């Protein structure tokens, strides 16, 4: 990042809350000079004030990238302030849920290169996953730049079309919350079976984290990893018969949960 177009022409971060701060921390760690970053945020955190970036200062006329990380409901106030950077060489990368590429084109001009991204909260510890999709104006170079930028907080995957963003939101965007709830309910179930609450929570957290890390690192797929730990008529099989029940288990439950989030994402984008 040290010698990139971003370092030379500058990067503007519009909105520096949880997601913006996680990304900024990743870029600075990877060698992007603080002097190349302009941040606009009405109430900057103490952490942000200490980073040496340009904070709420006059912006460069033609920055390489504007990263938009305000809440969708603030978008109509925040984005028009950058209208003069539209229809040019500045690439707009947005992580805002529910704000479509066409909204950016309407607000900034149809010739504005736009990449829409859907990250998730493990970005805060550089273990996020972000899906990206670009408009036709943004070329291959723009997608590469967006990928470089977002890979500072985890993996990056590319989508074939913008419609897939809704399902991505249903799986990985909202997904960390499903897993947090699984940890909560697993710990509560342990308490119901006689364990102290603290111990049960420690077991649940470490089990989900360890299984997740194993699933990521292993050459075997998760289905095989499951089979590997399921001895016939053993304890795991007893639980899996409950969890894998076609009607009342994970298959139907997660299908409904992911569909509900996907549908809501479509509604938000439409309204
Ligand atoms: N968190 C996630 O897991 C996640 C996942 C996927 C996508 N996203 C998307 O990421 C975006 C940011 O989410 P977040 O969780 O980081 O929210 P957040 O913590 O509320 O951050 C938004 C930041 O933007 C600032 N802001 C508000 N109005 C502004 C304006 N007019 N100009 C410049 N900055 C302004 C806010 O300042 P104040 O606090 O002072 O209002 C705040 O610091 C959202 O669009 C969200 O959809 C988040």
């Amino acid at each position: 990042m040290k010698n990139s177009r971003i370092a030379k022409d500058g990067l503007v971060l519009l909105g520096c809350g949880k997601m913006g701060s996680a990304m900024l921390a990743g870029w600075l760690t990877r060698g992007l000079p603080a002097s190349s970053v302009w941040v606009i945020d009405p109430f900057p955190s103490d952490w942000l004030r200490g980073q040496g970036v340009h904070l709420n200062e006059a912006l460069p006329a033609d920055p390489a990238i504007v990263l938009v990380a305000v809440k969708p409901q603030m978008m109509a106030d925040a984005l028009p302030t950058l209208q003069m950077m539209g229809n040019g060489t500045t690439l707009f990368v947005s992580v805002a849920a529910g704000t479509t590429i066409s909204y950016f084109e309407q607000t900034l001009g149809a010739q504005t290169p736009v990449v829409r991204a859907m990250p998730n909260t493990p970005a805060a510890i550089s273990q996020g996953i972000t899906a990206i999709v670009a408009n036709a104006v943004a070329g291959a170079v723009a997608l590469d730049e967006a990928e470089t930028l977002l890979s500072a907080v985890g993996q990056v995957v590319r989508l074939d079309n913008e419609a897939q963003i809704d399902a991505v939101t249903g799986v990985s965007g909202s997904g960390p919350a499903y897993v947090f709830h699984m940890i909560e309910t697993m710990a509560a179930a342990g308490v119901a079976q006689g364990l102290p609450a603290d111990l049960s929570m420690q077991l649940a957290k470490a089990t989900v984290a360890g299984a997740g890390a194993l699933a990521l690192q292993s050459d075997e797929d998760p289905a095989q990893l499951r089979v590997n730990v399921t001895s016939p008529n053993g304890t795991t099989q007893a639980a899996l018969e409950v969890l894998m029940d076609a009607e009342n288990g994970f298959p139907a439950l997660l299908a409904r949960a992911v569909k509900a989030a996907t549908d809501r994402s479509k509604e938000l984008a439409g309204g």
Side-chain angles (χ1 to χ4, degrees):
M1 272 190 172
K2 215 172 270 168
N3 304 312
S4 60
R5 186 170 84 101
I6 302 171
K8 190 164 72 62
D9 295 340
L11 180 147
V12 173
L13 177 60
L14 181 66
C16 193
K18 289 185 284 293
M19 197 49 82
S21 302
M23 291 188 292
L24 178 58
W27 302 328
L28 297 176
T29 305
R30 289 179 172 215
L32 181 67
S35 57
S36 302
V37 181
W38 279 256
V39 177
I40 311 173
D41 194 293
F43 298 101
S45 65
D46 290 343
W47 175 82
L48 177 55
R49 287 175 199 279
Q51 297 309 306
V53 299
H54 304 272
L55 189 51
N56 296 324
E57 290 176 17
L59 300 177
D62 191 20
I65 296 191
V66 172
L67 196 306
V68 182
V70 294
K71 290 273 188 202
Q73 55 271 30
M74 300 312 297
M75 196 62 80
D77 286 333
L79 194 59
T81 63
L82 302 185
Q83 219 157 21
M84 65 288 188
M85 294 174 189
N87 280 339
T89 53
T90 299
L91 168 66
F92 280 76
V93 180
S94 163
V95 299
T99 307
T100 60
I101 288 176
S102 108
Y103 178 87
F104 284 90
E105 292 171 341
Q106 279 161 30
T107 309
L108 301 165
Q111 293 309 308
T112 309
V114 179
V115 168
R116 185 173 166 195
M118 173 50 59
N120 64 2
T121 48
I125 55 163
S126 301
Q127 293 192 40
I129 183 157
T130 305
I132 57 174
V133 61
N135 68 355
V137 180
V141 174
L143 263 173
D144 287 346
E145 281 179 345
E147 179 162 341
T148 302
L149 208 58
L150 293 161
S151 62
V153 289
Q155 300 181 43
V156 177
V157 292
R158 296 184 183 199
L159 305 179
D160 296 329
N161 58 68
E162 190 178 7
Q164 292 175 320
I165 278 264
D166 298 311
V168 167
T169 304
V171 175
S172 59
S174 301
Y178 318 159
V179 177
F180 299 145
H181 189 52
M182 174 160 165
I183 295 172
E184 291 175 74
T185 52
M186 211 168 155
V191 172
Q193 295 308 316
L195 293 175
D198 287 358
L199 175 67
S200 195
M201 180 55 82
Q202 188 180 352
L203 293 172
K205 278 187 194 172
T207 301
V208 169
L214 184 57
L216 261 186
Q217 283 174 30
S218 176
D219 293 334
E220 293 180 308
D221 65 24
Q224 187 59 47
L225 291 172
R226 167 175 54 75
V227 169
N228 294 350
V229 292
T230 312
S231 13
N233 292 319
T235 59
T236 309
Q237 184 177 329
L240 285 177
E241 280 171 9
V242 177
L243 292 174
M244 295 176 75
D245 183 83
E247 273 170 41
N248 298 312
F250 276 170
L253 199 58
L254 279 173
R256 274 179 22 232
V258 171
K259 181 174 187 311
T262 306
D263 290 348
R264 184 74 185 121
S265 174
K266 286 182 194 161
E267 273 171 31
L268 289 174

